[in-house]
Amino acid sequence: MNTLLDLSDRLYLDVADFAHSTPHWFQWLAEVWTEAGLLLFGALFLAGWWRSREGSSRVMALALLAPLATAFGYVVSEGLKSLIDEERPCRAVLGAPTALVTCPPYGDWSFPSNHSAIAGAAAVALALSWRGMVWLTVPMALLMAFSRVFVGVHYPHDVTAGLLLGGLVAFLVMRAAARPVGTLVETARSSRSSAVVWCAGRGPRTHAAPRAEEPQRAGRRGH
């Protein structure tokens, strides 16, 4: 275990040294991404809900569950963080360069990374609710996790654990709750409240096939 922690320390120092060797604009992008990535995941949740309004009840259920599963990932991560008092590397690692962002205060522990847990949970939840999104959400989550080490506030093992924990929690929540939430969506779609129906969507639209030949047949019978 100590060997793995020592390896994480060395990787942290390597990433910190690399961060200080990059141009200021690149450092600024990393600082922005570490927070803006969360906003982008939020925008994807909204887009997923909107596109699911004409989908099946299960599709809408998964879209609604995606942000909820992500929230569960954060709660579990925060609970674990309160049990493991790991100091931030920006204070604990001797000889480390100054962090690119302000080091969180004492008591805001390092393990696991909440940002990474949220990113991992969001990536998995969106991939399950929106087919094909895995190619976008997984790189986003990995970049967000790396950015937390890059700016100097987390160890590599913090972000790795956060990604895995968030992704696992989101997967379990999505699988366990898809059917009951789908039933709720069906109930909401049959509601008399237009606001409820608008939120849940009307589901797949069925269009009657045009019967173009009927007038011709009627004309033949008239003869």
Side-chain angles (χ1 to χ4, degrees):
M1 183 67 177
N2 288 334
T3 302
L4 291 176
L5 293 178
D6 290 341
L7 176 60
S8 188
D9 282 0
R10 292 196 296 271
L11 286 174
Y12 172 80
L13 287 171
D14 290 341
V15 173
D17 288 337
F18 167 71
H20 279 268
S21 70
T22 58
H24 288 295
W25 64 265
F26 190 84
Q27 295 176 14
W28 177 82
L29 282 178
E31 294 175 32
V32 170
W33 175 248
T34 193
E35 301 295 342
L38 299 178
L39 297 178
L40 183 53
F41 275 124
L44 289 175
F45 288 144
L46 286 174
W49 160 75
W50 183 259
R51 69 182 292 274
S52 300
R53 292 172 70 252
E54 294 185 4
S56 67
S57 297
R58 177 177 173 79
V59 169
M60 174 54 77
L62 292 175
L64 293 174
L65 279 171
L68 181 62
T70 301
F72 268 95
Y74 165 74
V75 170
V76 173
S77 175
E78 182 63 26
L80 187 58
K81 184 189 287 282
S82 66
L83 297 176
I84 303 176
D85 300 347
E86 181 189 74
E87 186 56 276
R88 295 277 180 167
C90 39
R91 273 191 296 271
V93 178
L94 297 176
T98 304
L100 299 182
V101 298
T102 303
C103 194
Y106 180 80
D108 186 352
W109 307 117
S110 189
F111 181 89
S113 165
N114 281 345
H115 278 73
S116 300
I118 293 171
V124 170
L126 283 166
L128 291 174
S129 63
W130 192 338
R131 184 174 297 179
M133 286 298 288
V134 64
W135 304 111
L136 174 62
T137 60
V138 169
M140 282 174 57
L142 292 175
L143 283 174
M144 181 173 293
F146 177 76
S147 73
R148 299 302 288 168
V149 181
F150 186 91
V151 299
V153 295
H154 277 294
Y155 292 100
H157 68 267
D158 295 338
V159 300
T160 302
L163 284 171
L164 295 176
L165 178 65
L168 176 61
V169 170
F171 177 83
L172 293 177
V173 170
M174 297 286 282
R175 290 299 187 188
R179 180 170 294 179
V181 174
T183 301
L184 290 176
V185 170
E186 291 179 3
T187 302
R189 285 177 169 177
S190 61
S191 172
R192 294 182 179 180
S193 170
S194 58
V196 172
V197 174
W198 184 84
C199 290
R202 297 187 179 278
R205 294 181 179 178
T206 56
H207 300 281
R211 304 178 66 180
E213 294 184 1
E214 284 194 353
Q216 296 180 5
R217 291 175 180 174
R220 292 172 184 172
R221 287 197 297 267
H223 290 294

